[in-house]
Amino acid sequence: MGSVPTDGLTDHLLSPAIDWQTLTYPVLKLGVLASGNGSNFEAIMAAIERSELKAKVNVVICNNPGAKVFERAEKWSIPTVLLNHREFQSREALDQAIVDTLTTYDVDWVIMAGWMRRVTQHLIDAFSGRLLNIHPSLLPSFPGLHAARQALEARVKLAGCTVHHVELAVDSGPMIMQAAVPVLSGDTEESLQARIQIQEHRIYPAAIALAAHQHATEKKRATWQSMR
Ligand code: GRF
């Protein structure tokens, strides 16, 4: 076991297929935004523990009191901050509090993992190129809520998940990595969602590493060019 695609392409397709654990980038200081369950957060923690992803999670921010992600973060001894969106006057005010919290915890990459709030330009600008999201469809198909249900209703044969950079429109922005899974006859929204989520847990750590590698490479290139 090592890189994402080594166990074959029979149950999933992955793009790009790369040996992501060999990528180079500085150790990342992550802030995770989650609204509920937090299984992607745990997949990221597990990849860090296995030394596959070079990163540390400095803080988990959640907007829903009592969400399962709090329990999961406690298990991994990761600090949590509740920013309940119901207590903020506007999306901008919530995002300002998020940026302040991320700054306090010295975060350099922001990982949206089941974050169910629309983001504002303020958050996007504060972490330009370092703000990622995962969505349970092969974007640009089926953005928004209930992606697995949308895929079943459209009768597509392939579903999947996408990690992408975040832009203002919901579930939009340059794609980093995708994995595809078959839609099987008899699938329910739950069974399809579960099959997709197995792949989410594989690709999110890999996509973070890939985005960090691309970012570091760009930075190096910009430095060289400024020295010429
Ligand atoms: C995932 O399906 C993700 O794609 C979507 O929200 C879900 C979060 O799951 N954005 P979890 O909270 O990480 O278990």
Side-chain angles (χ1 to χ4, degrees), residues 1 5 16 56 63 71 92 167 193 219 228:
M1 268 301 279
K56 182 174 181 293
N63 62 313
E71 256 174 61
E92 284 72 20
E167 289 181 352
Q193 177 67 32
K219 247 173 108 174
R228 284 168 68 184

Side-chain angles (χ1 to χ4, degrees), residues 36-40 113-114 134-136 193 197 200:
N37 184 28
S39 70
N40 278 286
I134 189 160
H135 183 72
Q193 177 67 32
Q197 197 143 55
E200 289 192 332

Side-chain angles (χ1 to χ4, degrees), residues 5-177:
T6 50
D7 63 348
L9 297 176
T10 49
D11 63 339
H12 67 281
L13 294 164
L14 194 125
S15 170
I18 47 148
D19 194 359
W20 63 278
Q21 291 163 44
T22 62
L23 295 173
T24 52
Y25 51 89
V27 178
L28 309 173
K29 295 177 278 184
L30 307 180
V32 173
L33 304 187
S35 294
N37 184 28
S39 70
N40 278 286
F41 155 71
E42 279 220 75
I44 291 165
M45 289 307 305
I48 294 171
E49 189 170 72
R50 291 192 300 265
S51 303
E52 293 173 356
L53 177 64
K54 287 180 284 167
K56 182 174 181 293
V57 176
N58 285 5
V59 65
V60 171
I61 297 175
C62 180
N63 62 313
N64 283 319
K68 174 121 193 231
V69 71
F70 284 109
E71 256 174 61
R72 296 189 194 256
E74 193 178 331
K75 193 178 93 188
W76 290 92
S77 304
I78 304 296
T80 54
V81 174
L82 170 67
L83 293 176
N84 187 339
H85 62 277
R86 299 158 194 89
E87 293 168 5
F88 291 84
Q89 297 286 337
S90 63
R91 290 186 196 282
E92 284 72 20
L94 173 64
D95 278 7
Q96 181 60 56
I98 292 171
V99 171
D100 291 346
T101 306
L102 294 169
T103 306
T104 302
Y105 281 89
D106 192 27
V107 163
D108 53 23
W109 282 76
V110 185
I111 308 303
M112 289 167 44
W115 180 246
M116 302 303 282
R117 307 300 304 165
R118 292 185 71 151
V119 299
T120 67
Q121 198 61 44
H122 185 63
L123 180 59
I124 295 171
D125 289 346
F127 289 89
S128 174
R130 293 168 292 123
L131 175 61
L132 310 184
N133 182 44
I134 189 160
H135 183 72
S137 79
L138 295 174
L139 291 172
S141 294
F142 316 130
L145 294 175
H146 309 302
R149 189 189 305 171
Q150 292 186 56
L152 287 176
E153 283 169 2
R155 297 174 177 268
V156 294
K157 298 291 180 207
L158 271 183
C161 49
T162 304
V163 178
H164 62 97
H165 290 281
V166 173
E167 289 181 352
L168 207 48
V170 170
D171 301 323
S172 75
M175 194 269 281
I176 300 161
M177 193 172 272

